[in-house]
Amino acid sequence: NIAEGFARYRHKEFAQFVRIAKGSEAEVLNHFIDLRDLRLISEDDFLQAEHLCRRAMKAANGLMRFLESTPDPAPAPYKKRPAP
């Protein structure tokens, strides 16, 4: 989702794709909680996974704040390809 949003070149549109990615990160965290509750992973493994998930969500928040507070980049100039 983040790569697809990046390809849109408009900050607000990119931010929407980051929101979707953050939702997926939250879903992954929920799966880790389920694994811990079912005792399919150790508490130590869960704590490490939880830390990484929350770190990814925090990074997504920062990227969204940046995208929503800055103007869209100027379009790249068109470059004509040289004739063969």
Side-chain angles (χ1 to χ4, degrees):
N1 283 303
I2 292 173
E4 187 174 344
F6 178 77
R8 301 299 175 117
Y9 297 107
R10 302 258 189 268
H11 281 188
K12 296 219 185 299
E13 202 172 1
F14 186 0
Q16 181 59 32
F17 280 85
V18 176
R19 270 187 212 86
I20 294 166
K22 185 181 170 203
S24 296
E25 293 164 350
E27 187 176 355
V28 168
L29 177 56
N30 190 58
H31 289 304
F32 278 117
I33 292 168
D34 291 343
L35 289 171
R36 181 200 55 193
D37 293 348
L38 293 169
R39 299 180 191 266
L40 296 173
I41 61 172
S42 70
E43 186 66 21
D44 287 342
D45 287 344
F46 168 74
L47 291 173
Q48 183 178 10
E50 179 187 33
H51 171 74
L52 293 172
C53 287
R54 293 192 187 282
R55 189 170 160 193
M57 288 187 283
K58 192 174 182 179
N61 282 337
L63 180 54
M64 283 186 295
R65 272 193 307 276
F66 168 79
L67 292 168
E68 291 172 345
S69 66
T70 57
D72 292 336
Y78 176 76
K79 292 184 180 181
K80 188 173 180 178
R81 296 173 68 185

